[in-house]
Amino acid sequence: MMRARLAPGFTLLEVLVALVIVGTALGASLRAVGSLTANSNGLRAAMMATWSAENRLVQIRLEHEFPGVGKRSFECPQGDLKLVCQEEVLSSPNPRLRRVEVSVFDMADPQRRIIKLVQLVLNE
């Protein structure tokens, strides 16, 4: 009597299960890469905004400027990023000191403040 011999290999069901597992892993990795890209753009914007704010604060220090109390806005682009800096100078309890706050906003989304740096300036 002849017996039917099974051919070695995978069944259709095993192949489909393997494809589902591989597809799920690829989908998860693509999602992770997309998340990293979004984080990278946010970090780049924060770094460029920090440079813009620091540039203004360093300019005040180097020019030995004692800024007047008030608020002003000016463009402060960095590379291809269009930024707007808002400088607010406040008086302090000590008349020889002024508090300078520089906030940086994205020109495309003016409601979104990227960073705010604060420095005290001494009247020499």
Side-chain angles (χ1 to χ4, degrees), residues 26-47:
L26 285 174
S29 64
L30 285 175
R31 188 171 182 193
V33 167
S35 176
L36 287 174
T37 302
N39 285 344
S40 170
N41 289 338
L43 289 173
R44 180 178 175 273
M47 180 182 66

Side-chain angles (χ1 to χ4, degrees), residues 10 26-27 29 31 38 58 63-64 72 74 86 90 108:
F10 298 106
L26 285 174
S29 64
R31 188 171 182 193
V58 167
E63 294 178 358
H64 301 287
R72 72 183 189 105
F74 53 93
Q86 184 179 68
L90 306 165

Side-chain angles (χ1 to χ4, degrees), residues 15 19 27-28 53 61 65 72 82 95 107:
V15 171
L19 283 174
R61 265 183 275 153
E65 184 181 337
R72 72 183 189 105
K82 306 274 189 253
M107 198 177 283

Side-chain angles (χ1 to χ4, degrees), residues 41-99:
N41 289 338
L43 289 173
R44 180 178 175 273
M47 180 182 66
M48 298 251 188
T50 301
W51 288 347
S52 290
E54 285 178 346
N55 285 347
R56 177 57 187 141
L57 295 175
V58 167
Q59 181 183 15
I60 291 171
R61 265 183 275 153
L62 290 176
E63 294 178 358
H64 301 287
E65 184 181 337
F66 191 64
V69 174
K71 192 183 237 184
R72 72 183 189 105
S73 293
F74 53 93
E75 291 184 12
C76 54
Q78 286 289 333
D80 61 347
L81 197 59
K82 306 274 189 253
L83 301 172
V84 175
C85 289
Q86 184 179 68
E87 177 183 313
E88 185 171 10
V89 181
L90 306 165
S91 59
S92 70
N94 184 339
R96 294 187 59 210
L97 291 174
R98 295 268 165 88
R99 177 184 167 113

